[in-house]
Amino acid sequence: MKNPVENNHSDSVSEFILLGFPCPWEIQILLFSFFFVIYVLTLTGNLCIISAVWWDEYLHTPMYILLANFSFLEIWYVTSTVPNMLANLLSETSTISFYGCFLQFYFFFSMGTTETFFLSAMAFDRYLAICRPLHYSTVMTVQRCIRIGAGCWVCGFSCFLLPVYLISQLPFCGPNTIDHFLCDPGPLMKLSCVPATATEVICAVFNSVLIFSTFLFITSSYTLVIRAVLRVPSAEGQHKAFSTCGSHLAVVSLFYGSIMVIYVSPTAGNPAGIQKIVTLFYSVMTPLFNPLIYSLRNKEMKMALRKLFRIMRFGQKQPFKN
């Protein structure tokens, strides 16, 4: 007879229970309504940005092409977790299959990784536009921007193959209750039948290298941008440059500020309640804030959105030009 610790996961745990938010039924209905509204607003906001960039030829530039890709990413990023979370809020048995759990794990964190690469690409684009304006049009062409965007997608979905593989190979023989609303690596590793110290350290190092390398690249780019802006003689020129970069910096601060709380240190040291709150913020709230930040702080985007709404209202079918 095999030792349970040595059993393959297919012989033991075939599904997981996502504990989510254990609370009375009335509170779960309120949570369902709240997150459903946020989900719809997130989809609407990001679709509006994509549509505005698509319709307005004035926005067919590298900066807005990257922004449209970023909004498209945010739609799938929030969709990888919220629909399942909403279904579980209305379900008495919040189960997810073993393979479904690791698919959610892979897609959610791959898209999160892709987001760090897109934020880095957007920072590089702003660096070129402000610090190297004479070379910008030749260096950051639309074709090169598309290649950079494709590279972000490919690298983002390649990076998390190793952590997902390592954690999926851990023996799971019960219990199978994940104290979270999604398949997060920390709670998953706690369910392993054997200590997962080595895997936990590898994942922590991997996350730290990924997060800090992209964060340092972004902060370095904006340090150079700020230095260049401060040399601009006119206050109007400084204001325009800072307003262009301000929305991006706000998004970077929201995203990196939250993920560093969870994924830089080994996950076993973070209480389940803190993990849920912080994960909710960067996985559900941040995708909602992003279109608001970009549309409210960006003059060109506000103009394009107004024109888009006029198209929707009056039924114009032809793209417009500024």
Side-chain angles (χ1 to χ4, degrees), residues 71-88:
S71 293
F72 181 75
L73 170 65
E74 291 287 67
I75 289 173
W76 290 107
Y77 183 55
V78 72
T79 300
S80 67
T81 57
V82 173
N84 184 70
M85 179 178 67
L86 292 175
N88 289 340

Side-chain angles (χ1 to χ4, degrees), residues 255-313:
F255 183 73
Y256 277 92
S258 55
I259 63 174
M260 284 183 178
V261 174
I262 296 295
Y263 298 112
V264 171
S265 60
T267 53
N270 295 315
I274 297 297
Q275 285 194 17
K276 292 180 187 179
I277 294 172
V278 177
T279 304
L280 267 178
F281 184 80
Y282 77 79
S283 65
V284 180
M285 302 306 297
T286 302
L288 171 67
F289 295 150
N290 290 349
L292 294 175
I293 291 171
Y294 279 113
S295 61
L296 294 177
R297 293 185 58 88
N298 190 294
K299 181 180 178 181
E300 289 81 7
M301 181 56 66
K302 285 191 288 187
M303 291 175 59
L305 287 172
R306 282 197 294 265
K307 294 179 180 179
L308 175 66
F309 295 148
R310 284 203 296 269
I311 288 177
M312 296 172 62
R313 180 179 178 183

Side-chain angles (χ1 to χ4, degrees), residues 26-269:
E26 294 79 7
I27 303 298
Q28 288 190 331
I29 295 298
L30 288 176
L31 288 175
F32 174 87
S33 303
F34 176 70
F35 291 129
F36 179 77
V37 170
I38 288 180
Y39 181 59
V40 172
L41 291 175
T42 301
L43 296 184
T44 303
N46 284 288
L47 281 173
C48 284
I49 288 181
I50 295 171
S51 300
V53 174
W54 175 269
W55 279 99
D56 193 341
E57 293 183 359
Y58 182 76
L59 300 185
H60 291 179
T61 62
M63 173 182 174
Y64 292 104
I65 290 173
L66 289 173
L67 176 58
N69 269 272
F70 188 74
S71 293
F72 181 75
L73 170 65
E74 291 287 67
I75 289 173
W76 290 107
Y77 183 55
V78 72
T79 300
S80 67
T81 57
V82 173
N84 184 70
M85 179 178 67
L86 292 175
N88 289 340
L89 283 170
L90 299 181
S91 173
E92 294 183 2
T93 57
S94 305
T95 60
I96 185 171
S97 69
F98 182 92
Y99 295 105
C101 182
F102 279 92
L103 277 175
Q104 184 191 63
F105 174 18
Y106 172 69
F107 280 107
F108 176 71
F109 285 95
S110 292
M111 285 184 280
T113 304
T114 305
E115 184 162 337
T116 66
F117 291 138
F118 266 110
L119 290 173
S120 300
M122 294 163 76
F124 180 66
D125 174 75
R126 291 301 84 204
Y127 161 76
L128 287 176
I130 295 175
C131 299
R132 298 288 186 269
L134 298 179
H135 303 283
Y136 179 77
S137 59
T138 57
V139 174
M140 186 61 78
T141 61
V142 172
Q143 292 76 16
R144 183 164 294 167
C145 173
I146 293 173
R147 288 197 293 268
I148 290 174
C152 291
W153 284 100
V154 172
C155 292
F157 276 80
S158 300
C159 286
F160 248 86
L161 289 171
L162 177 61
V164 170
Y165 173 77
L166 291 176
I167 297 176
S168 68
Q169 296 307 301
L170 295 174
F172 297 98
C173 52
N176 65 339
T177 301
I178 300 175
D179 192 6
H180 213 305
F181 62 88
L182 56 80
C183 291
D184 191 84
L188 270 173
M189 285 187 281
K190 289 180 182 179
L191 297 182
S192 173
C193 300
V194 297
T197 305
T199 301
E200 184 178 334
V201 171
I202 291 172
C203 290
V205 171
F206 175 86
N207 292 331
S208 299
V209 171
L210 174 66
I211 292 170
F212 278 113
S213 61
T214 53
F215 182 71
L216 288 175
F217 180 85
I218 293 170
T219 53
S220 299
S221 298
Y222 276 104
T223 299
L224 297 174
V225 167
I226 292 172
R227 288 176 57 188
V229 170
L230 292 177
R231 296 194 188 103
V232 176
S234 66
E236 182 181 354
Q238 291 184 359
H239 175 75
K240 183 177 180 180
F242 276 124
S243 64
T244 302
C245 302
S247 55
H248 186 212
L249 283 172
V251 172
V252 169
S253 301
L254 287 172
F255 183 73
Y256 277 92
S258 55
I259 63 174
M260 284 183 178
V261 174
I262 296 295
Y263 298 112
V264 171
S265 60
T267 53

